[in-house]
């Protein structure tokens, strides 16, 4: 394996860049699901991850491979692990990983998997602890001892959207362990999907990490809750259908997912789905968003009369029903 050990390059200080990428969802009624990147080795100059035992995992540059440092564990056989730095969880509930690896064939013919471990932790751990294996990765197309380093990129197998499972603490750390002959990890990308900001059914929901559990929405301006509006963001970053209802309050009607105030001359006396109604005979409104219409000057109705009843001419001694409405 000496040939692989000789292709190590020195690397400078790195910086963590967080990127948000759009991810193509096939649902046309909802904005597209988003991917929120938490870590990408391609955007690092150096990883500085901890090898146990020391120096059995190294950072190298591979010929013809662009991007960040490549991790290799080709110095010596036996159990060896590499532990990432602590990464903030942000709004992730479920982690996904894209990864490229190349594995060397084993003389025994039986290939050891590259084990992936996840530590869900509030504070950085400094040493690799056994257990919590979330994935076993195994390539089918292997390189051999006699292949030159320049052929390694051809053996890189890129797997997308591997599920690393739930995370709940302030952050997490990733680790790999290997017992096989020689392995290269060329690219590691950690991210989560998110449901984007959305307004529908007169309710707004803010961007939420996939697999969120129930999230409470807010009624848009002019709307009130009939029952608390709740949605869940599913695994793919797509909002599930809404439970609970927002509807337009008094003096407002629904139009294009907003609540519009009733125009002058119109009224709506109840919360709910209805439309603004034209004021009944001999009544009027003086402002937009009216809940009911008042009688024109010289007309009246009893306080007990329903809102949709018009007003009639006021007489000193008795009320006369208006026969020929003028409105
Ligand atoms: C690529 O990796 C996946 C996941 O480990 C594995 O199932 C698949 O067989 C690999 N493909 C090749 C060509 O090595
Ligand atoms: C939300 O709106 C959609 C169509 O716009 C409708 O099919 C669905 O029933 C509504 N959900 C609620 C809770 O009102």
């Amino acid at each position: 394996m000496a040939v692989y050990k000789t292709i190590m390059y020195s690397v400078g200080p790195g910086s963590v860049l967080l990127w948000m990428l759009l991810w193509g969802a096939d649902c046309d009624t909802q904005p597209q699901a988003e991917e929120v990147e938490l870590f990408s080795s391609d955007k690092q100059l150096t990883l500085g991850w901890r090898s146990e035992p020391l120096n059995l995992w190294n950072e190298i540059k591979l010929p013809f491979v662009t991007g960040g440092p490549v991790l290799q564990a080709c110095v010596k056989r036996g159990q060896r692990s590499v532990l990432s730095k602590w990464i903030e969880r942000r709004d992730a509930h479920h982690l996904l990983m894209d990864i490229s690896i190349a594995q060397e064939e084993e003389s025994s013919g039986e290939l050891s998997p590259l084990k992936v471990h996840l530590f869900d932790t509030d504070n950085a751990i400094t040493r690799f602890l056994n257990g919590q294996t979330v994935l076993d990765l195994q390539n089918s197309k292997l390189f051999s001892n006699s292949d030159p380093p320049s052929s390694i990129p051809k053996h890189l197998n890129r797997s997308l959207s591997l599920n690393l499972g739930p995370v709940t603490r302030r952050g997490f750390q990733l680790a790999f362990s290997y017992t096989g002959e020689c392995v290269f990890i060329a690219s590691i990308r950690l991210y989560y999907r998110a449901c984007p900001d959305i307004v529908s059914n007169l309710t707004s929901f803010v961007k939420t990490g996939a697999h969120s559990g129930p999230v409470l929405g807010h009624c848009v301006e002019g709307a009130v809750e009939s029952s608390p509006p709740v949605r869940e963001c599913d695994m793919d970053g797509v909002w599930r259908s809404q439970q609970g209802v927002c509807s337009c309050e008094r003096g407002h009607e629904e139009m294009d997912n907003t609540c519009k105030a009733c125009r002058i001359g119109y009224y709506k006396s109840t919360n709910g789905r209805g439309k603004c109604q034209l004021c009944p005979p001999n009544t009027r409104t003086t402002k937009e968003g009216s809940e009911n219409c008042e009688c024109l000057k010289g007309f009246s109705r009893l306080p007990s009369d329903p809102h949709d009843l018009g007003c009639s001419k006021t007489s000193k001694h008795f009320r006369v029903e208006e026969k020929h409405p003028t409105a």
Side-chain angles (χ1 to χ4, degrees):
M1 280 305 92
V3 68
Y4 302 118
K5 280 180 263 176
T6 60
I7 50 176
M8 293 172 61
Y9 288 63
S10 68
V11 282
S15 63
V16 179
L17 293 176
L18 299 169
W19 285 80
M20 257 175 45
L21 299 174
L22 284 180
W23 171 76
D26 50 10
C27 179
D28 52 13
T29 56
Q30 271 191 28
Q32 293 185 320
E34 289 176 7
E35 278 183 14
V36 182
E37 190 169 285
L38 297 172
F39 175 83
S40 170
S41 67
D42 288 350
K43 291 168 187 157
Q44 312 291 312
L45 291 171
T46 178
L47 300 178
W49 292 9
R50 185 192 162 92
S51 169
E52 258 180 87
L54 276 179
N55 302 324
L56 292 194
W57 283 86
N58 302 296
E59 287 179 36
I60 61 162
K61 280 276 180 195
L62 272 180
F64 314 117
V65 174
T66 56
V70 173
L71 284 169
Q72 70 156 13
C74 304
V75 180
K76 203 166 99 187
R77 286 206 57 146
Q79 164 75 16
R80 52 218 195 268
S81 64
V82 65
L83 175 66
S84 82
K85 300 224 163 121
W86 187 82
I87 299 166
E88 200 188 328
R89 174 172 71 87
R90 301 173 79 199
D91 192 29
H93 303 290
H94 224 91
L95 281 185
L96 298 174
M97 178 172 72
D98 297 344
I99 190 169
S100 281
I101 68 170
Q103 279 179 292
E104 186 185 330
E105 63 190 14
E106 308 266 337
S107 43
S108 67
E110 205 162 308
L111 186 66
S112 320
L114 174 67
K115 287 186 177 296
V116 183
H117 312 265
L118 184 70
F119 302 97
D120 188 20
T121 172
D122 286 328
N123 299 298
I125 56 168
T126 52
R127 297 210 51 187
F128 176 78
L129 311 160
N130 255 319
Q132 298 161 82
T133 304
V134 287
L135 279 178
D136 279 346
L137 299 179
Q138 218 151 4
N139 277 4
S140 48
K141 226 179 100 207
L142 308 170
F143 65 87
S144 79
N145 200 346
S146 54
D147 286 332
S150 60
S151 78
I152 301 301
K154 279 187 286 198
H155 292 87
L156 285 171
N157 174 24
R158 185 162 180 76
S159 307
L160 300 176
S161 304
L162 297 175
N163 190 347
L164 298 186
V167 277
T168 58
R169 304 299 187 87
R170 274 201 320 125
F172 62 89
Q173 277 164 272
L174 188 72
F176 297 98
S177 66
Y178 202 60
T179 55
E181 200 69 49
C182 173
V183 67
F184 293 87
I185 308 177
S187 173
I188 305 157
R189 182 167 171 265
L190 300 167
Y191 58 99
Y192 62 95
R193 294 202 178 115
C195 293
D197 292 339
I198 188 173
V199 181
S200 72
N201 300 82
L202 300 176
T203 316
S204 66
F205 290 87
V206 296
K207 182 169 147 180
T208 300
H211 215 259
S212 62
V215 177
L216 190 62
H218 296 280
C219 296
V220 300
E221 209 183 318
V224 288
E225 281 181 14
S226 306
S227 50
V230 171
R231 279 190 167 206
E232 284 186 42
C233 179
D234 74 12
M235 282 291 285
D236 294 326
V238 177
W239 287 110
R240 295 225 178 100
S241 58
Q242 181 173 332
Q243 309 296 311
V245 177
C246 293
S247 56
C248 293
E249 64 184 353
R250 294 181 181 87
H252 293 77
E253 68 182 349
E254 185 173 350
M255 214 182 266
D256 305 330
N257 230 351
T258 61
C259 289
K260 285 242 163 44
C262 299
R263 287 183 289 147
I264 289 180
Y266 288 78
Y267 76 106
K268 181 168 164 262
S269 56
T270 54
N271 292 332
R273 286 247 160 83
K275 289 279 175 197
C276 298
Q277 303 292 323
L278 190 64
C279 283
N282 305 315
T283 66
R284 60 167 194 165
T285 63
T286 52
K287 58 175 171 55
E288 295 189 333
S290 292
E291 296 173 19
N292 48 54
C293 307
E294 60 195 53
C295 294
L296 294 175
K297 212 169 174 179
F299 293 81
S300 64
R301 66 181 152 197
L302 295 174
S304 58
D305 283 345
H307 292 288
D308 56 356
L309 199 69
C311 299
S312 42
K313 218 169 209 121
T314 310
S315 136
K316 270 213 167 90
H317 307 294
F318 49 85
R319 277 176 83 228
V320 182
E321 285 298 321
E322 178 67 28
K323 293 280 162 28
H324 306 288
T326 52

